[in-house]
Amino acid sequence: MADPTRCARVLVEELIGGGVREAVLAPGSRSAPLAYALHAAEAEGRLRLHVRVDERSAGFLAIGLARATRAPVPVVTTSGTAAANLHPAVLEAWHSHLPLLAVTADRPTELTHTGANQTTDQLRLFGRHVRADAQLDDAGDESSWRFEVLRLLTAATGVRTRSPGPVHLNVGFRGPLAPTGTAPTPSPGRRVTALPPAGAPVALPPGPRTVVVAGDAPPGTGREVRRVAEEAHLPLFAEPSSNARAGSAALATYRLLLGSGLAEEIDRVVVFGRPTLSRPVLALLERDDVELVVVSAHADWVDPGRRAALVTDGVSLAPGPHEWLDRWREADRQVSAALAALLTRPGPLTGPGLAAGMWAGLTPGDLLVAGASNPIRDLDLAPIRPDPPEVFANRGLAGIDGTVSTAAGIALGRARPAHALLGDLTFLHDANGLLIGPAEPRPDLRVVVANDDGGSIFATLEHGGPAHRAAFERLFRTPTGARLDHLAAATGCGYSRVETLDDLTAVLTRPPGGIEVVEAVVDRAGRRALAGEVDALVRQL
Ligand SMILES: Cc1ncc(C[n+]2csc(CCOP(=O)(O)OP(=O)(O)O)c2C)c(N)n1
Ligand SMILES: [Mg+2]
């Protein structure tokens, strides 16, 4: 006998037993048994529910919650296209090792090919981009419901594979879809324990001139990387979302310094996290004359040139001579001073100027979500400070989608105000992330939009050159002329506009209250020329 209410209650109970504390739901009828079960669990104070109307945004809200809490987060949808809208978040979770649980309601399998409404083949909907999947049915037995949730949570958290990531649970509901009075038996409370921790770090022999590269990584990893580099006196090339971009070893302008003679002296690179931001770093990882050591906590690792000499969980490095780091620091001091002069000369606000202002204006306890495209690359040139904010970014696939929702998830997951720095297209792409109903937990989130009316990163690439001028605006920049003030008004968000760094600093002195859109108009026409000037700074060394 089908018993959707009991099935949904058992599933939710097992999710809670497996550590789920936040859940995201989008509305629909087929998913109603799960909706009621989540609602009941929230009323009992066992989890917190977030309801969103757009499934793509809902998926990225779950991404933000998972990033912030490191716990598994289910996102529940109805059947059909609703389920498919989770695919971008599933891909991001795959590449970012996040325990996202895509829970999709379905018709019973026998109706798949009958032309029934809102019914398609949802089995393996996300293809090879889930770590595990399961097909359940409300006519099944309780032990299989419990077992499959346990199996999926184990796969999602990666405790036995060291490969956390998304999973898919597809549940066929026959009905009745409204609650009936059945109560499941209590969970047997099974446990799956983690694999033993990795052994001692590999001691790297002293001698080769070594640099440390820190790509995107959670805050805990970032702190560890910083410690390793500082203790061994090694130059540290740390992306903003590595959370290692701080302290005495980190170099603000490393991306530029890789174009100097110093870079040729590098013998060995130790890479942590997932570097994606700049061509000079990727070229360094691919160099034939450099020994590459990759440190990864996961089953997979980064090796763009397919030439890593060692892949390991951790390394230890004896302190080397100060001279190597001192030379890099001196070069960084000179290039940083020239960069600061470039960015503070009179004229309109620039993207890198805005990013530096934002980096300087946030306090150590702040949370910052960096959007793809220029914002995160501009932050990657900001001066090093001892105590920067924690930084998060969707670098799994570097999409410009879902970022407003991700930022909301970070703020909600940490129960603290958050800031985001996003390009205008990145912001507009997830405008639905601003739609939050009156009964929902509301984040305190200030979204600073670097508005240059379109995708200005393309102006700094080959497409922005004179040869492609005729096609550039329409094919690449794609200006929208959108009125951000109207959008903020339509969605009930606060709005302000800043034109100077002083305006921005004034805004940043008060904590965000609710969702605020801060439109920062940044120079568009000079972007390509400025990028050229920045790249040329290293030639003055
Ligand atoms: C979902 C998705 N679609 C397309 C892209 C390709 N893309 C990369 S940057 C970019 C433009 C971003 O514009 P904006 O957010 O305004 O930032 P700006 O380049 O102006 O700094 C696009 C379309 C992407 N990364 N993700
Ligand atoms: Mg833009």
Side-chain angles (χ1 to χ4, degrees), residues 399-414:
I400 61 164
D401 45 352
T403 320
V404 174
S405 300
T406 300
I410 300 282
L412 288 164
R414 285 294 181 87

Side-chain angles (χ1 to χ4, degrees), residues 56 372-375 377-378 397-402 422-429 449-458 476-478 522 527:
R56 183 166 66 183
S373 201
N374 282 315
R377 293 182 172 82
D378 290 343
L397 283 182
I400 61 164
D401 45 352
L422 311 183
D424 52 294
L425 292 186
T426 303
F427 172 69
L428 292 166
H429 207 294
V449 183
N451 192 1
D452 44 23
D453 198 13
S456 67
I457 196 166
F458 300 123
F476 296 100
R477 188 164 81 89
T478 57
V522 295
R527 190 35 115 156

Side-chain angles (χ1 to χ4, degrees), residues 381-463:
L381 283 176
I384 301 300
R385 44 177 287 186
D387 47 6
E390 273 183 43
V391 185
F392 301 87
N394 283 338
R395 296 311 298 171
L397 283 182
I400 61 164
D401 45 352
T403 320
V404 174
S405 300
T406 300
I410 300 282
L412 288 164
R414 285 294 181 87
R416 288 227 309 270
H419 285 78
L421 177 62
L422 311 183
D424 52 294
L425 292 186
T426 303
F427 172 69
L428 292 166
H429 207 294
D430 192 25
N432 280 353
L434 300 173
L435 303 176
I436 301 181
E440 301 312 312
R442 271 188 100 75
D444 291 318
L445 173 64
R446 178 177 288 139
V447 184
V448 176
V449 183
N451 192 1
D452 44 23
D453 198 13
S456 67
I457 196 166
F458 300 123
T460 67
L461 305 179
E462 38 286 57
H463 321 294

Side-chain angles (χ1 to χ4, degrees), residues 169-185:
L169 173 58
N170 191 53
V171 195
F173 288 116
R174 289 187 163 71
L177 298 174
T180 55
T182 54
T185 52

Side-chain angles (χ1 to χ4, degrees), residues 57 134 230 286:
S57 298
E230 282 175 11
E286 294 180 27

